[in-house]
Amino acid sequence: AQKVTQAQTEISVVEKEDVTLDCVYETRDTTYYLFWYKQPPSGELVFLIRRNSFDEQNEISGRYSWNFQKSTSSFNFTITASQVVDSAVYFCALSYTGTASKLTFGTGTRLQVTL
Amino acid sequence: EAQVTQNPRYLITVTGKKLTVTCSQNMNHEYMSWYRQDPGLGLRQIYYSMNVEVTDKGDVPEGYKVSRKEKRNFPLILESPSPNQTSLYFCASRAWGVAYNSPLHFGNGTRLTVT
């Protein structure tokens, strides 16, 4: 069975602070994919990143960076110099290579960035 | 513009009155899926379809039906809605085959209230 845990329900930071959103996953598959999605207040789900289990390189995209560590089954997401527009709910998700390729989502972390 | 279109965005109905939420994608994707989002539970898969006339249950299929008569459309049917189906629903699609485990593209969501 697969499981994704986002232990942080809600985080509040002041603009320009760095913030890390934690994601811990469980799977028995050796090949799997990890995702992060953003859900802004408008409600849509925006794809941010996909990482496969064979690629443990960290990734940076502008103010966003992701740290994938198989040893701790974690795929954490850091926003550097946060901005008010980063306020959203962020979901971590896991997919395996089975025929259904279902995405298993965590419960989400609500990030509130204030001035 | 490549997109997944859901209608309606908001729907209020009464217990037992059949309803259909439509979903259409213009990306020629083989795989389509329905999720529901509830507070504290993240997103859970209701049904999915890997191609025309091929559908299967996800994690929470009770009380829902789907059909896939055409590649682009994947309607969600609630034959006899109940208050516990009050939720935010998302339709999603992605390419299959070569683009295995490509990211899901989500619609903008349908907020359903059953009284």
Side-chain angles (χ1 to χ4, degrees):
Chain A
Q2 299 183 114
K3 186 178 179 182
V4 176
T5 300
Q6 295 179 258
Q8 303 152 309
T9 305
E10 200 159 334
I11 301 174
S12 290
V13 299
V14 176
E15 204 175 41
K16 296 193 178 68
E17 285 185 15
D18 298 347
V19 58
T20 296
L21 309 182
D22 297 333
C23 173
V24 174
Y25 62 91
E26 297 174 29
T27 181
R28 291 182 185 160
D29 295 284
T30 55
T31 303
Y32 51 89
Y33 297 81
L34 294 161
F35 301 79
W36 276 94
Y37 282 85
K38 174 182 180 180
Q39 186 176 43
S42 50
E44 72 272 23
L45 285 160
V46 179
F47 164 73
L48 295 178
I49 189 172
R50 178 187 65 175
R51 175 68 67 202
N52 73 54
S53 53
F54 297 112
D55 184 0
E56 285 194 72
Q57 282 191 358
N58 292 332
E59 178 147 345
I60 298 174
S61 176
R63 296 184 295 106
Y64 294 173
S65 62
W66 290 269
N67 181 270
F68 175 30
Q69 292 195 340
K70 284 178 79 169
S71 59
T72 56
S73 296
S74 64
F75 187 42
N76 296 336
F77 173 29
T78 297
I79 302 174
T80 303
S82 60
Q83 299 176 2
V84 172
V85 293
D86 296 325
S87 297
V89 180
Y90 291 87
F91 289 98
C92 181
L94 168 69
S95 175
Y96 60 98
T97 55
T99 53
S101 289
K102 176 185 71 174
L103 268 185
T104 297
F105 283 84
T107 52
T109 297
R110 181 178 298 277
L111 174 65
Q112 186 73 38
V113 183
T114 56
L115 292 171
Chain B
E1 180 191 350
Q3 59 185 3
V4 178
T5 304
Q6 290 178 234
N7 280 299
R9 287 294 307 274
Y10 301 91
L11 180 57
I12 300 174
T13 190
V14 296
T15 299
K17 186 175 181 182
K18 181 179 177 180
L19 66 91
T20 299
V21 183
T22 63
C23 174
S24 181
Q25 50 92 6
N26 62 2
M27 295 168 279
N28 202 35
H29 285 167
E30 292 84 2
Y31 182 94
M32 297 186 75
S33 182
W34 278 101
Y35 284 81
R36 62 178 287 174
Q37 181 182 354
D38 301 289
L41 297 175
L43 284 88
R44 295 175 293 167
Q45 191 184 55
I46 304 171
Y47 268 95
Y48 66 94
S49 169
M50 292 200 287
N51 216 323
V52 176
E53 303 291 2
V54 180
T55 63
D56 209 344
K57 297 176 181 178
D59 294 322
V60 288
E62 295 77 21
Y64 304 96
K65 284 175 58 177
V66 293
S67 70
R68 189 89 182 273
K69 294 185 171 60
E70 305 164 282
K71 197 172 187 179
R72 62 183 291 123
N73 296 325
F74 190 45
L76 180 69
I77 303 156
L78 284 72
E79 296 267 0
S80 183
S82 62
N84 65 11
Q85 293 178 298
T86 292
S87 187
L88 178 58
Y89 291 87
F90 287 98
C91 181
S93 74
R94 67 171 182 80
W96 191 250
V98 174
Y100 196 62
N101 268 301
S102 58
L104 278 174
H105 297 260
F106 285 89
N108 285 336
T110 295
R111 187 167 292 282
L112 171 66
T113 302
V114 184
T115 61

